Amino acid sequence: GENVEQHPSTLSVQEGDSAVIKCTYSDSASNYFPWYKQELGKRPQLIIDIRSNVGEKKDQRIAVTLNKTAKHFSLHITETQPEDSAVYFCAARSPLGSARQLTFGSGTQLTVLP
Amino acid sequence: EAGVAQSPRYKIIEKRQSVAFWCNPISGHATLYWYQQILGQGPKLLIQFQNNGVVDDSQLPKDRFSAERLKGVDSTLKIQPAKLEDSAVYLCASSPVTGINTEAFFGQGTRLTVV
């Protein structure tokens, strides 16, 4: 099955700086890569996603890049703000027969220091 | 749009007891997932339903966990008997069944503590 590794596990940045979180996946057939933000005690919420036919996608201060050859994708947050502090999870969806398994990374605790 | 509903929000039980969680997905979503999220880890898929059929339960500890989705809408996840290592947040998610652009929407989760 799919295996997703995520780094770093913790990340602290100063407000206004950029943050980068990286993930690798094992199944070359995976074709959908969402990123979720989970605030303490709350549900994971989708913040951005990218399909395998796209190399980069941007939404305001958030961008995701995908390198299919190397099987890795990254989340970039620019001009970080204290409210960006949360746990971020990457995920990869592999087409497994009729199922579309969504496998998550282990998460990155991002802390934005004021 | 109403979100994924789960209950209860919190549950504390003793080991060897049984427990059940309930999930009501977003209306019209054919796919329903149950994830286990241990503290400090990412969600781990336990079981995935498509309507009322199981499409993947390879990571479900079937000796103690069971799940059903009668009528293809609500779902229940049961643990019997519970072990200490079952302490986790149990997340239910749902998504429409179309192509690959299918975002999974999560419920608030049920935090289970086994003592």
Side-chain angles (χ1 to χ4, degrees):
Chain A
E2 175 66 276
N3 181 49
V4 177
E5 295 193 357
Q6 182 171 347
H7 301 280
S9 57
T10 60
L11 178 61
S12 292
V13 298
Q14 289 294 135
E15 183 177 358
D17 286 352
S18 296
V20 180
I21 302 171
K22 300 181 179 182
C23 289
T24 61
Y25 61 99
S26 60
D27 187 350
S28 56
S30 288
N31 50 22
Y32 174 66
F33 306 91
W35 285 88
Y36 284 82
K37 176 182 180 182
Q38 187 175 30
E39 297 178 28
L40 190 63
K42 296 189 177 180
R43 73 187 77 191
Q45 292 198 299
L46 182 75
I47 55 171
I48 195 168
D49 56 16
I50 190 167
R51 280 86 181 163
S52 58
N53 58 345
V54 175
E56 184 174 357
K57 181 177 179 180
K58 190 173 182 180
D59 182 5
Q60 299 184 343
R61 297 185 297 108
I62 296 173
V64 58
T65 58
L66 171 64
N67 183 325
K68 286 179 60 179
T69 303
K71 290 190 283 188
H72 68 69
F73 55 114
S74 301
L75 177 71
H76 304 253
I77 306 174
T78 58
E79 300 172 24
T80 53
Q81 302 167 3
E83 52 265 38
D84 294 330
S85 295
V87 179
Y88 290 81
F89 293 99
C90 62
R93 171 167 277 146
S94 59
L96 181 69
S98 60
R100 295 191 182 278
Q101 283 196 340
L102 194 61
T103 303
F104 285 82
S106 55
T108 297
Q109 173 69 63
L110 174 65
T111 303
V112 180
L113 304 169
Chain B
E1 172 180 88
V4 176
Q6 287 188 249
S7 68
R9 288 294 312 277
Y10 307 93
K11 190 74 178 179
I12 301 174
I13 62 172
E14 294 182 350
K15 59 183 179 183
R16 292 188 289 274
Q17 285 187 324
S18 62
V19 64
F21 313 127
W22 175 82
C23 172
N24 180 235
I26 293 172
S27 178
H29 281 194
T31 304
L32 185 147
Y33 313 82
W34 281 102
Y35 283 88
Q36 179 192 58
Q37 186 175 24
I38 293 173
L39 187 64
Q41 299 182 17
K44 170 191 158 188
L45 180 69
L46 293 175
I47 189 167
Q48 179 178 339
F49 292 93
Q50 189 93 320
N51 297 306
N52 62 347
V54 175
V55 293
D56 182 30
D57 63 358
S58 57
Q59 299 190 82
L60 188 73
K62 299 180 187 62
D63 58 333
R64 298 184 300 106
F65 286 65
S66 64
E68 60 182 10
R69 191 184 183 196
L70 300 176
K71 302 180 182 178
V73 181
D74 294 4
S75 176
T76 55
L77 176 70
K78 296 179 182 177
I79 308 175
Q80 182 181 11
K83 292 185 176 181
L84 296 176
E85 58 260 38
D86 298 332
S87 294
V89 175
Y90 290 84
L91 293 164
C92 178
S94 70
S95 65
V97 60
T98 51
I100 64 170
N101 302 342
T102 49
E103 174 186 351
F105 295 84
F106 284 86
Q108 294 274 31
T110 296
R111 181 177 296 279
L112 173 68
T113 303
V114 182
V115 297

